[in-house]
Amino acid sequence: MNIDHLKVFHILAKHNSFSNTSKVLHMSQSSVSKQIRQLEEELDTKLFDRTTKKVQLTPQGKILLESAEKILKEINFAKNKLASLSKTVHGDLTIGASLTLGEHILPYILGKYQKQYPNVHLDMKVGNSEHIMEKLENQQIHLAFIQSTSRYRKFTQQLFLEDELVIIAPQHFIYPEFDCVSEYISAEMLLAMPMIIREQGSGTRQVIEEQLRNNHLDPHKINVVLELENTESIKAAVESGLGISIISKASVRKELRLNTLRKLSIKGMHLKRKFYSVYDEQNLSLPSSSFLSFIHHYYQQKSS
């Protein structure tokens, strides 16, 4: 059985689309179709039911997929074992990170990793969680680091960091009625105050809405005055007095220390989120495996 045919079959089974598969593999749709046809001829069975919009696995295709995943995983494992005999980890590693991680947390870790593994060429793509997962699904990155959700169940997910979110406010609002706000506010006041928030699709926004629901607050009642796509813009808008925001504590340590921003609290409400590494276990390269081990070990040490 041709391994290349098996890889094409595996990608098509995951994407259910010849066009998406051709994009992932950088092949023409006709080449994808030809390789699947050759595999079906070799096995003398039909692997997919084809329609004008998508393809679906036949019962025979489902059986082959189960075996294909095991075979490809073993091949990848053997490649990594052989590569490890060289005693040096080398190659390309492209990771994707949500904005908070990519701007404020991972650069520090990447520097430490690079010192230990100087032969790995690192590249990091930063975007909101949905965009990062699109890149992982299209195999444009090897690893994703996001505030994960159950939407990505087909990938392996490992918790590596718990992040605290804080409510930040300006020293002086442009709205006089809020200048009397002290350190502690009520949940009702949180919904009434002008809020600057990340765009739809961001991990931060997802967790804020989830945490509000957990605390019996309706996220649809947030008084959103501005949506922005990055942390630095949000901090600048809050500093200008436009409103409050909920943001990772890691991204505002300097501003809180310098008193250009202040922190608000709601008694009994703790805003936290969890960050995960997300990846396709069958496509882990040696650099990917080494980075996963490195980052998980690093945060395990810090938390112990």
Side-chain angles (χ1 to χ4, degrees), residues 186-195 212 217-219 221-224 244:
S186 66
E188 291 72 22
M189 189 175 289
L190 174 68
L191 296 181
M193 296 174 75
M195 176 82 77
L212 289 174
L217 298 172
D218 184 356
K221 292 182 178 179
I222 296 174
N223 178 23
V224 178
I244 66 169

Side-chain angles (χ1 to χ4, degrees), residues 168-181:
I168 57 169
Q171 292 296 343
H172 300 286
F173 284 89
I174 63 173
Y175 307 101
E177 62 267 31
F178 293 111
D179 265 340
C180 60
V181 170

